[in-house]
């Protein structure tokens, strides 16, 4: 189906990835794997991607802003 849509100028990869990320944020990896037919290791990676811990990024931003004198 993807190839047929691409031939007609309809790109679907971005929409597919967005949909998978949304599912992965809400579902445990075994259920994601069962629903989509993907390998369980792939589902684990999608869930890890969707549930990223932003604490390290936020700490780095706070440190950077502290050095620059911004709040």
């Amino acid at each position: 189906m993807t190839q047929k849509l691409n031939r007609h100028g309809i790109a679907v990869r971005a929409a597919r990835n967005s949909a998978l990320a949304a599912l992965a944020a809400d579902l445990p990896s075994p259920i994601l794997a069962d629903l989509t037919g993907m390998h369980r290791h792939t589902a684990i990676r999608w869930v890890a991607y969707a549930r990223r811990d932003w604490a390290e990024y936020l700490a780095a931003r706070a440190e950077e802003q502290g050095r620059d004198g911004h709040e």
Side-chain angles (χ1 to χ4, degrees):
M1 178 65 103
T2 299
Q3 291 174 351
K4 289 180 182 180
L5 290 170
N6 283 336
R7 272 186 254 150
H8 294 286
I10 303 169
V12 296
R13 183 169 302 265
R16 173 193 173 272
N17 289 346
S18 295
L20 275 173
L23 281 173
D26 293 333
L27 298 173
S29 60
I31 294 173
L32 180 64
D34 285 346
L35 283 176
T36 61
M38 68 175 59
H39 192 275
R40 61 187 176 95
H41 290 141
T42 304
I44 289 169
R45 285 196 311 267
W46 272 101
V47 168
Y49 171 75
R51 293 190 179 156
R52 274 219 166 109
D53 180 9
W54 291 95
E56 187 175 319
Y57 167 78
L58 294 173
R61 284 286 292 183
E63 182 181 321
E64 180 182 296
Q65 288 176 348
R67 283 194 308 258
D68 293 341
H70 299 102
E71 288 187 36

